Structure formats: structure tokens, C-alpha cells
Short mmCIF file of all heavy atoms in Angstrom, two decimals:
data_model
loop_
_atom_site.label_atom_id
_atom_site.label_comp_id
_atom_site.label_asym_id
_atom_site.label_seq_id
_atom_site.Cartn_x
_atom_site.Cartn_y
_atom_site.Cartn_z
N MET B 30 167.50 151.05 58.64
CA MET B 30 166.98 151.89 59.73
C MET B 30 168.02 152.89 60.19
O MET B 30 168.79 152.57 61.14
CB MET B 30 166.51 151.07 60.92
CG MET B 30 165.96 149.64 60.54
SD MET B 30 164.60 149.80 59.42
CE MET B 30 164.45 148.08 58.90
N PRO B 31 168.14 154.04 59.63
CA PRO B 31 169.14 154.99 60.07
C PRO B 31 168.77 155.55 61.42
O PRO B 31 167.64 156.02 61.66
CB PRO B 31 169.10 156.08 59.01
CG PRO B 31 167.75 155.98 58.32
CD PRO B 31 167.36 154.51 58.51
N SER B 32 169.73 155.50 62.33
CA SER B 32 169.42 156.01 63.69
C SER B 32 169.43 157.50 63.74
O SER B 32 169.01 158.10 64.72
CB SER B 32 170.51 155.44 64.65
OG SER B 32 171.81 155.86 64.17
N ASN B 33 169.90 158.15 62.68
CA ASN B 33 169.95 159.64 62.71
C ASN B 33 168.73 160.22 62.00
O ASN B 33 168.71 161.35 61.64
CB ASN B 33 171.21 160.15 62.09
CG ASN B 33 171.31 159.70 60.61
OD1 ASN B 33 170.60 158.79 60.19
ND2 ASN B 33 172.20 160.31 59.84
N ALA B 34 167.70 159.38 61.85
CA ALA B 34 166.48 159.87 61.14
C ALA B 34 165.86 160.98 61.92
O ALA B 34 165.35 162.01 61.37
CB ALA B 34 165.51 158.75 60.97
N ALA B 35 165.84 160.90 63.22
CA ALA B 35 165.20 161.92 64.05
C ALA B 35 165.98 163.25 63.95
O ALA B 35 165.41 164.33 63.80
CB ALA B 35 165.19 161.47 65.48
N ALA B 36 167.30 163.12 63.94
CA ALA B 36 168.10 164.35 63.85
C ALA B 36 167.93 165.00 62.51
O ALA B 36 167.92 166.18 62.38
CB ALA B 36 169.58 163.96 64.11
N ARG B 37 167.79 164.13 61.46
CA ARG B 37 167.74 164.69 60.15
C ARG B 37 166.42 165.41 59.94
O ARG B 37 166.30 166.31 59.19
CB ARG B 37 167.89 163.54 59.17
CG ARG B 37 168.30 164.00 57.83
CD ARG B 37 168.75 162.89 56.92
NE ARG B 37 167.69 161.92 56.74
CZ ARG B 37 167.81 160.80 56.04
NH1 ARG B 37 168.92 160.49 55.46
NH2 ARG B 37 166.81 159.96 55.92
N SER B 38 165.37 164.94 60.63
CA SER B 38 164.06 165.52 60.45
C SER B 38 163.99 166.94 61.01
O SER B 38 163.12 167.69 60.72
CB SER B 38 162.99 164.71 61.10
OG SER B 38 163.14 164.74 62.47
N ARG B 39 164.97 167.30 61.82
CA ARG B 39 165.00 168.62 62.42
C ARG B 39 165.75 169.60 61.44
O ARG B 39 165.86 170.75 61.79
CB ARG B 39 165.79 168.60 63.73
CG ARG B 39 165.04 167.91 64.84
CD ARG B 39 166.01 167.64 65.96
NE ARG B 39 165.30 167.06 67.11
CZ ARG B 39 165.16 167.77 68.28
NH1 ARG B 39 165.64 168.94 68.39
NH2 ARG B 39 164.52 167.22 69.24
N ARG B 40 166.19 169.10 60.34
CA ARG B 40 166.99 169.94 59.46
C ARG B 40 166.18 170.29 58.28
O ARG B 40 165.22 169.64 57.86
CB ARG B 40 168.24 169.18 59.08
CG ARG B 40 169.21 169.07 60.24
CD ARG B 40 170.40 168.26 59.91
NE ARG B 40 171.34 168.28 61.02
CZ ARG B 40 172.26 169.17 61.25
NH1 ARG B 40 172.44 170.09 60.28
NH2 ARG B 40 173.06 169.17 62.24
N CYS B 41 166.68 171.35 57.69
CA CYS B 41 166.00 171.88 56.41
C CYS B 41 166.07 170.77 55.37
O CYS B 41 167.16 170.31 55.05
CB CYS B 41 166.70 173.12 56.02
SG CYS B 41 166.17 173.73 54.42
N PRO B 42 164.97 170.36 54.77
CA PRO B 42 165.01 169.33 53.74
C PRO B 42 165.65 169.77 52.48
O PRO B 42 165.98 168.97 51.65
CB PRO B 42 163.46 169.06 53.56
CG PRO B 42 162.80 170.20 53.96
CD PRO B 42 163.62 170.87 55.10
N LEU B 43 165.84 171.06 52.33
CA LEU B 43 166.45 171.56 51.10
C LEU B 43 167.95 171.63 51.21
O LEU B 43 168.67 171.19 50.32
CB LEU B 43 165.90 172.93 50.75
CG LEU B 43 164.47 172.97 50.19
CD1 LEU B 43 164.12 174.36 49.76
CD2 LEU B 43 164.31 171.97 49.09
N CYS B 44 168.48 172.21 52.25
CA CYS B 44 169.92 172.42 52.31
C CYS B 44 170.54 171.70 53.50
O CYS B 44 171.76 171.63 53.59
CB CYS B 44 170.24 173.91 52.35
SG CYS B 44 169.66 174.68 53.92
N GLY B 45 169.75 171.13 54.40
CA GLY B 45 170.31 170.37 55.49
C GLY B 45 170.78 171.16 56.69
O GLY B 45 171.29 170.60 57.62
N LYS B 46 170.58 172.49 56.67
CA LYS B 46 170.92 173.31 57.82
C LYS B 46 169.85 173.14 58.86
O LYS B 46 168.73 172.77 58.58
CB LYS B 46 170.98 174.80 57.38
CG LYS B 46 172.18 175.07 56.51
CD LYS B 46 172.13 176.53 56.11
CE LYS B 46 173.22 176.88 55.16
NZ LYS B 46 173.15 178.22 54.64
N PRO B 47 170.26 173.43 60.10
CA PRO B 47 169.23 173.36 61.18
C PRO B 47 168.07 174.29 60.88
O PRO B 47 168.27 175.42 60.46
CB PRO B 47 170.02 173.82 62.44
CG PRO B 47 171.46 173.56 62.06
CD PRO B 47 171.54 173.79 60.62
N ARG B 48 166.88 173.77 61.03
CA ARG B 48 165.70 174.58 60.66
C ARG B 48 165.39 175.68 61.69
O ARG B 48 165.78 175.62 62.84
CB ARG B 48 164.52 173.68 60.48
CG ARG B 48 163.97 173.15 61.78
CD ARG B 48 162.84 172.21 61.51
NE ARG B 48 162.24 171.74 62.76
CZ ARG B 48 161.36 170.78 62.81
NH1 ARG B 48 160.96 170.16 61.69
NH2 ARG B 48 160.81 170.38 63.96
N ASP B 49 164.63 176.61 61.21
CA ASP B 49 164.25 177.70 62.04
C ASP B 49 162.78 177.58 62.38
O ASP B 49 161.96 177.19 61.54
CB ASP B 49 164.44 179.06 61.27
CG ASP B 49 164.27 180.24 62.19
OD1 ASP B 49 163.12 180.55 62.57
OD2 ASP B 49 165.29 180.91 62.53
N GLU B 50 162.42 177.80 63.65
CA GLU B 50 161.03 177.63 64.06
C GLU B 50 160.06 178.50 63.25
O GLU B 50 158.94 178.18 62.98
CB GLU B 50 160.90 177.97 65.51
CG GLU B 50 161.32 176.89 66.45
CD GLU B 50 160.49 175.58 66.23
OE1 GLU B 50 159.25 175.67 66.36
OE2 GLU B 50 161.08 174.56 65.94
N THR B 51 160.55 179.65 62.80
CA THR B 51 159.70 180.57 62.10
C THR B 51 159.38 180.01 60.69
O THR B 51 158.24 180.18 60.21
CB THR B 51 160.41 181.92 61.91
OG1 THR B 51 160.89 182.35 63.21
CG2 THR B 51 159.50 182.93 61.28
N TYR B 52 160.34 179.36 60.15
CA TYR B 52 160.13 178.90 58.78
C TYR B 52 160.13 177.35 58.68
O TYR B 52 160.30 176.83 57.61
CB TYR B 52 161.27 179.42 57.88
CG TYR B 52 161.34 180.90 57.90
CD1 TYR B 52 162.42 181.53 58.56
CD2 TYR B 52 160.34 181.70 57.36
CE1 TYR B 52 162.52 182.93 58.59
CE2 TYR B 52 160.43 183.06 57.44
CZ TYR B 52 161.50 183.67 58.04
OH TYR B 52 161.57 185.03 58.07
N LYS B 53 159.93 176.73 59.77
CA LYS B 53 159.94 175.24 59.79
C LYS B 53 159.00 174.68 58.74
O LYS B 53 157.89 175.23 58.50
CB LYS B 53 159.62 174.67 61.14
CG LYS B 53 158.24 174.96 61.63
CD LYS B 53 158.09 174.44 63.07
CE LYS B 53 156.68 174.74 63.53
NZ LYS B 53 156.47 174.28 64.92
N PRO B 54 159.36 173.58 58.14
CA PRO B 54 160.57 172.76 58.43
C PRO B 54 161.83 173.26 57.74
O PRO B 54 162.77 172.49 57.62
CB PRO B 54 160.17 171.39 57.93
CG PRO B 54 159.35 171.70 56.73
CD PRO B 54 158.61 172.94 57.04
N PHE B 55 161.81 174.46 57.31
CA PHE B 55 162.99 175.00 56.57
C PHE B 55 163.84 175.85 57.48
O PHE B 55 163.47 176.18 58.59
CB PHE B 55 162.53 175.76 55.35
CG PHE B 55 161.65 174.95 54.46
CD1 PHE B 55 160.29 175.19 54.41
CD2 PHE B 55 162.16 173.92 53.69
CE1 PHE B 55 159.46 174.45 53.65
CE2 PHE B 55 161.32 173.14 52.87
CZ PHE B 55 159.98 173.44 52.82
N CYS B 56 165.02 176.20 57.01
CA CYS B 56 165.99 176.90 57.79
C CYS B 56 165.86 178.36 57.64
O CYS B 56 166.23 179.18 58.49
CB CYS B 56 167.39 176.52 57.46
SG CYS B 56 167.85 177.02 55.79
N SER B 57 165.18 178.80 56.59
CA SER B 57 165.10 180.23 56.32
C SER B 57 163.96 180.50 55.34
O SER B 57 163.40 179.58 54.76
CB SER B 57 166.40 180.74 55.74
OG SER B 57 166.61 180.16 54.44
N ARG B 58 163.68 181.74 55.17
CA ARG B 58 162.65 182.13 54.24
C ARG B 58 163.09 181.77 52.86
O ARG B 58 162.24 181.40 51.99
CB ARG B 58 162.41 183.62 54.36
CG ARG B 58 161.12 184.07 53.62
CD ARG B 58 160.96 185.56 53.70
NE ARG B 58 160.60 186.07 52.40
CZ ARG B 58 160.64 187.38 52.10
NH1 ARG B 58 161.05 188.23 53.02
NH2 ARG B 58 160.30 187.79 50.89
N GLY B 59 164.34 181.88 52.58
CA GLY B 59 164.86 181.54 51.23
C GLY B 59 164.52 180.12 50.85
O GLY B 59 164.07 179.83 49.74
N CYS B 60 164.78 179.23 51.75
CA CYS B 60 164.50 177.80 51.47
C CYS B 60 163.03 177.54 51.38
O CYS B 60 162.57 176.73 50.57
CB CYS B 60 165.18 176.93 52.50
SG CYS B 60 166.93 176.65 52.18
N ARG B 61 162.28 178.16 52.20
CA ARG B 61 160.84 177.95 52.17
C ARG B 61 160.30 178.42 50.84
O ARG B 61 159.46 177.76 50.16
CB ARG B 61 160.15 178.74 53.26
CG ARG B 61 158.68 178.39 53.41
CD ARG B 61 158.00 179.30 54.36
NE ARG B 61 158.01 180.69 53.88
CZ ARG B 61 157.44 181.76 54.46
NH1 ARG B 61 156.81 181.52 55.62
NH2 ARG B 61 157.51 182.91 53.99
N ASP B 62 160.73 179.57 50.38
CA ASP B 62 160.34 180.12 49.04
C ASP B 62 160.79 179.23 47.94
O ASP B 62 160.08 178.99 46.95
CB ASP B 62 160.88 181.52 48.86
CG ASP B 62 160.16 182.54 49.71
OD1 ASP B 62 159.11 182.13 50.37
OD2 ASP B 62 160.59 183.70 49.79
N ARG B 63 161.98 178.69 48.11
CA ARG B 63 162.52 177.83 47.09
C ARG B 63 161.64 176.58 46.95
O ARG B 63 161.36 176.10 45.86
CB ARG B 63 163.90 177.43 47.48
CG ARG B 63 164.66 176.77 46.34
CD ARG B 63 166.15 177.05 46.30
NE ARG B 63 166.78 176.93 47.62
CZ ARG B 63 167.74 176.05 47.83
NH1 ARG B 63 168.07 175.16 46.95
NH2 ARG B 63 168.39 176.04 48.96
N ASP B 64 161.18 176.03 48.08
CA ASP B 64 160.34 174.90 48.04
C ASP B 64 159.00 175.18 47.38
O ASP B 64 158.47 174.44 46.59
CB ASP B 64 160.19 174.35 49.43
CG ASP B 64 159.43 173.00 49.43
OD1 ASP B 64 160.12 172.02 49.02
OD2 ASP B 64 158.28 172.93 49.83
N LEU B 65 158.48 176.35 47.74
CA LEU B 65 157.20 176.74 47.14
C LEU B 65 157.36 176.89 45.63
O LEU B 65 156.50 176.45 44.87
CB LEU B 65 156.74 178.04 47.78
CG LEU B 65 156.16 177.96 49.16
CD1 LEU B 65 155.84 179.34 49.73
CD2 LEU B 65 154.85 177.14 49.15
N ASN B 66 158.38 177.52 45.26
CA ASN B 66 158.64 177.72 43.83
C ASN B 66 158.78 176.42 43.10
O ASN B 66 158.37 176.22 41.96
CB ASN B 66 159.87 178.57 43.60
CG ASN B 66 159.63 180.02 43.94
OD1 ASN B 66 158.47 180.46 43.88
ND2 ASN B 66 160.66 180.76 44.35
N ARG B 67 159.39 175.45 43.78
CA ARG B 67 159.63 174.17 43.17
C ARG B 67 158.25 173.48 42.88
O ARG B 67 158.05 172.97 41.80
CB ARG B 67 160.41 173.26 44.12
CG ARG B 67 161.06 172.08 43.41
CD ARG B 67 161.75 171.18 44.35
NE ARG B 67 160.81 170.64 45.32
CZ ARG B 67 161.12 169.89 46.37
NH1 ARG B 67 162.37 169.69 46.64
NH2 ARG B 67 160.20 169.42 47.15
N TRP B 68 157.40 173.52 43.85
CA TRP B 68 156.07 172.90 43.65
C TRP B 68 155.36 173.68 42.52
O TRP B 68 154.67 173.07 41.68
CB TRP B 68 155.27 172.94 44.95
CG TRP B 68 155.69 171.92 45.92
CD1 TRP B 68 156.46 172.09 46.97
CD2 TRP B 68 155.34 170.56 45.88
NE1 TRP B 68 156.63 170.91 47.65
CE2 TRP B 68 155.96 169.93 46.97
CE3 TRP B 68 154.57 169.74 45.02
CZ2 TRP B 68 155.79 168.62 47.25
CZ3 TRP B 68 154.43 168.42 45.31
CH2 TRP B 68 155.05 167.84 46.38
N PHE B 69 155.44 174.96 42.59
CA PHE B 69 154.79 175.81 41.59
C PHE B 69 155.31 175.48 40.22
O PHE B 69 154.54 175.33 39.25
CB PHE B 69 155.09 177.25 41.97
CG PHE B 69 154.05 178.21 41.40
CD1 PHE B 69 152.75 178.10 41.75
CD2 PHE B 69 154.48 179.25 40.57
CE1 PHE B 69 151.82 178.99 41.24
CE2 PHE B 69 153.55 180.12 40.09
CZ PHE B 69 152.21 180.03 40.41
N ASP B 70 156.55 175.33 40.12
CA ASP B 70 157.20 175.03 38.87
C ASP B 70 156.81 173.69 38.32
O ASP B 70 156.52 173.53 37.13
CB ASP B 70 158.78 175.03 39.12
CG ASP B 70 159.45 175.56 37.85
OD1 ASP B 70 158.95 176.40 37.12
OD2 ASP B 70 160.57 175.00 37.58
N GLU B 71 156.76 172.70 39.18
CA GLU B 71 156.40 171.38 38.71
C GLU B 71 154.98 171.28 38.24
O GLU B 71 154.60 170.48 37.44
CB GLU B 71 156.62 170.36 39.86
CG GLU B 71 158.08 170.09 40.05
CD GLU B 71 158.32 169.06 41.15
OE1 GLU B 71 157.29 168.61 41.77
OE2 GLU B 71 159.43 168.76 41.45
N GLY B 72 154.14 172.19 38.80
CA GLY B 72 152.75 172.26 38.37
C GLY B 72 152.62 172.66 36.90
O GLY B 72 151.73 172.25 36.19
N TYR B 73 153.56 173.45 36.43
CA TYR B 73 153.53 173.91 35.06
C TYR B 73 154.25 173.03 34.14
O TYR B 73 154.02 172.94 32.94
CB TYR B 73 154.14 175.36 35.00
CG TYR B 73 153.18 176.35 35.41
CD1 TYR B 73 153.37 177.09 36.64
CD2 TYR B 73 152.08 176.69 34.65
CE1 TYR B 73 152.46 178.04 37.02
CE2 TYR B 73 151.21 177.68 35.07
CZ TYR B 73 151.39 178.36 36.23
OH TYR B 73 150.52 179.31 36.62
N ARG B 74 155.31 172.37 34.68
CA ARG B 74 156.19 171.60 33.81
C ARG B 74 155.59 170.28 33.47
O ARG B 74 155.21 169.52 34.40
CB ARG B 74 157.50 171.46 34.50
CG ARG B 74 158.61 170.97 33.56
CD ARG B 74 159.93 171.04 34.26
NE ARG B 74 160.32 172.36 34.63
CZ ARG B 74 161.23 172.60 35.54
NH1 ARG B 74 161.89 171.67 36.17
NH2 ARG B 74 161.55 173.87 35.78
N VAL B 75 155.57 169.88 32.28
CA VAL B 75 155.08 168.58 31.88
C VAL B 75 156.22 167.63 31.82
O VAL B 75 157.26 167.88 31.16
CB VAL B 75 154.38 168.63 30.51
CG1 VAL B 75 153.89 167.30 30.10
CG2 VAL B 75 153.24 169.64 30.51
N PRO B 76 156.12 166.51 32.47
CA PRO B 76 157.22 165.51 32.36
C PRO B 76 157.38 164.98 31.02
O PRO B 76 156.47 164.38 30.47
CB PRO B 76 156.83 164.45 33.41
CG PRO B 76 155.33 164.64 33.55
CD PRO B 76 155.06 166.08 33.31
N VAL B 77 158.51 165.17 30.47
CA VAL B 77 158.77 164.79 29.02
C VAL B 77 159.72 163.57 28.92
O VAL B 77 159.85 163.01 27.90
CB VAL B 77 159.34 165.92 28.21
CG1 VAL B 77 158.28 167.00 28.04
CG2 VAL B 77 160.58 166.47 28.87
N ASP B 78 160.34 163.26 30.07
CA ASP B 78 161.27 162.21 30.02
C ASP B 78 160.62 160.81 30.31
O ASP B 78 161.16 159.97 31.00
CB ASP B 78 162.47 162.45 30.97
CG ASP B 78 161.98 162.68 32.35
OD1 ASP B 78 160.81 162.95 32.51
OD2 ASP B 78 162.81 162.56 33.29
N HIS B 79 159.44 160.71 29.85
CA HIS B 79 158.70 159.45 30.00
C HIS B 79 159.09 158.48 28.92
O HIS B 79 158.85 158.74 27.79
CB HIS B 79 157.21 159.69 29.96
CG HIS B 79 156.40 158.48 30.09
ND1 HIS B 79 156.28 157.77 31.29
CD2 HIS B 79 155.68 157.81 29.20
CE1 HIS B 79 155.47 156.67 31.04
NE2 HIS B 79 155.13 156.74 29.78
N ALA B 80 159.72 157.44 29.30
CA ALA B 80 160.19 156.40 28.30
C ALA B 80 159.00 155.75 27.69
O ALA B 80 158.13 155.27 28.38
CB ALA B 80 161.12 155.42 28.97
N PRO B 81 158.95 155.70 26.39
CA PRO B 81 157.84 155.05 25.68
C PRO B 81 157.95 153.52 25.85
O PRO B 81 158.99 152.96 25.89
CB PRO B 81 158.05 155.41 24.23
CG PRO B 81 159.51 155.75 24.09
CD PRO B 81 159.92 156.32 25.43
N ASP B 82 156.75 152.94 25.98
CA ASP B 82 156.75 151.51 26.16
C ASP B 82 157.02 150.77 24.81
O ASP B 82 156.91 151.36 23.76
CB ASP B 82 155.36 151.04 26.68
CG ASP B 82 155.15 151.50 28.13
OD1 ASP B 82 156.14 151.59 28.86
OD2 ASP B 82 154.00 151.75 28.45
N GLY B 83 157.39 149.55 24.93
CA GLY B 83 157.59 148.79 23.69
C GLY B 83 158.97 149.04 23.07
O GLY B 83 159.17 148.73 21.90
N GLY B 84 159.93 149.49 23.86
CA GLY B 84 161.24 149.67 23.28
C GLY B 84 162.11 148.45 23.36
O GLY B 84 163.12 148.38 24.06
N LEU B 85 161.65 147.42 22.72
CA LEU B 85 162.32 146.14 22.82
C LEU B 85 163.26 145.81 21.67
O LEU B 85 163.80 144.72 21.52
CB LEU B 85 161.25 145.01 22.94
CG LEU B 85 160.35 145.10 24.14
CD1 LEU B 85 159.20 144.07 24.00
CD2 LEU B 85 161.13 144.85 25.45
N ASP B 86 163.38 146.79 20.79
CA ASP B 86 164.20 146.54 19.58
C ASP B 86 165.64 146.16 19.87
O ASP B 86 166.21 145.38 19.16
CB ASP B 86 164.19 147.80 18.69
CG ASP B 86 162.80 148.14 18.28
OD1 ASP B 86 162.15 147.33 17.57
OD2 ASP B 86 162.31 149.22 18.62
N GLY B 87 166.17 146.68 20.93
CA GLY B 87 167.53 146.45 21.24
C GLY B 87 167.83 145.04 21.50
O GLY B 87 168.88 144.45 21.10
N ASP B 88 166.95 144.30 22.17
CA ASP B 88 167.20 142.92 22.48
C ASP B 88 166.74 141.95 21.46
O ASP B 88 166.97 140.72 21.56
CB ASP B 88 166.48 142.60 23.87
CG ASP B 88 167.22 143.29 25.00
OD1 ASP B 88 168.43 143.58 24.88
OD2 ASP B 88 166.55 143.47 26.02
N ARG B 89 166.01 142.44 20.48
CA ARG B 89 165.46 141.53 19.51
C ARG B 89 166.35 141.52 18.20
O ARG B 89 166.73 142.55 17.73
CB ARG B 89 164.06 142.00 19.09
CG ARG B 89 163.30 140.94 18.39
CD ARG B 89 161.85 141.25 18.45
NE ARG B 89 161.38 141.96 17.31
CZ ARG B 89 160.31 142.66 17.25
NH1 ARG B 89 159.55 142.79 18.29
NH2 ARG B 89 159.96 143.28 16.12
N PHE B 90 166.70 140.35 17.80
CA PHE B 90 167.47 140.26 16.58
C PHE B 90 166.81 139.25 15.61
O PHE B 90 166.35 138.17 16.00
CB PHE B 90 168.95 139.91 16.81
CG PHE B 90 169.17 138.80 17.78
CD1 PHE B 90 169.18 137.47 17.33
CD2 PHE B 90 169.32 139.05 19.14
CE1 PHE B 90 169.38 136.44 18.24
CE2 PHE B 90 169.49 138.02 20.03
CZ PHE B 90 169.54 136.69 19.60
N GLU B 91 166.83 139.61 14.36
CA GLU B 91 166.19 138.71 13.37
C GLU B 91 167.11 137.50 13.08
O GLU B 91 168.29 137.62 12.95
CB GLU B 91 165.97 139.48 12.10
CG GLU B 91 165.06 140.73 12.24
CD GLU B 91 163.58 140.33 12.35
OE1 GLU B 91 163.20 139.38 11.68
OE2 GLU B 91 162.91 141.03 13.12
N ASP B 92 166.45 136.38 12.94
CA ASP B 92 167.16 135.17 12.63
C ASP B 92 166.98 134.90 11.13
O ASP B 92 165.99 134.36 10.70
CB ASP B 92 166.64 134.02 13.46
CG ASP B 92 167.65 132.86 13.43
OD1 ASP B 92 168.70 132.97 12.78
OD2 ASP B 92 167.35 131.85 14.10
N GLU B 93 167.93 135.24 10.31
CA GLU B 93 167.75 135.07 8.91
C GLU B 93 168.08 133.67 8.39
O GLU B 93 169.21 133.24 8.41
CB GLU B 93 168.60 136.06 8.12
CG GLU B 93 167.99 137.45 8.17
CD GLU B 93 168.73 138.43 7.26
OE1 GLU B 93 169.77 138.90 7.66
OE2 GLU B 93 168.28 138.69 6.13
ZN1 ZN R 15 167.61 175.53 54.05
#
């Protein structure tokens, strides 16, 4: 339970600077745009680092 959670919520989630009322919860238009772009970007990007299931070969050894 961090006691500074309330204080942290007043800050820009991207860079941690004190947020601006105009661009809240961000500190500036730059950070707000950056966040929008991030969401936009993730919408197009397909997650490729999905580990395939069944990768048990490493722990399995044949008993000859
Ligand atoms: Zn910021």
C-alpha cells in the first residue's frame, strides 16, 4: 500500500511530471498525443512475442 499513490495520481502517467489541467491526466499536449499514438500504434501492431505452448523439450530427457 504505497502512501504516495494519491500524489502519484496527480502526475503525468507518461513522464511523471505534474499534470496540467488542460491536458489532464497528462502534463502537456505532447504527452497526451504520445499516449494517443501509443494506443493507436498498438491497435495496428500484432503481438508476436507470444510464447508457443508445449515448449517442454528443455526439461525432458530420454532415458536410453
Ligand atoms: Zn508528461
Side-chain angles (χ1 to χ4, degrees):
M30 326 304 167
S32 57
N33 61 345
R37 201 168 57 181
S38 69
R39 290 164 174 251
R40 291 176 175 270
C41 174
L43 286 187
C44 67
K46 289 178 185 173
R48 72 183 183 189
D49 189 288
E50 280 300 303
T51 308
Y52 304 110
K53 66 183 178 182
F55 306 104
C56 68
S57 65
R58 192 181 134 194
C60 277
R61 189 190 61 178
D62 286 353
R63 190 146 48 115
D64 188 70
L65 283 175
N66 286 334
R67 197 185 64 187
W68 283 102
F69 203 59
D70 210 36
E71 285 181 1
Y73 281 109
R74 195 173 297 164
V75 179
V77 291
D78 56 342
H79 177 72
D82 289 331
L85 297 172
D86 298 300
D88 287 338
R89 196 161 94 200
F90 46 89
E91 301 283 326
D92 196 359
E93 283 189 281

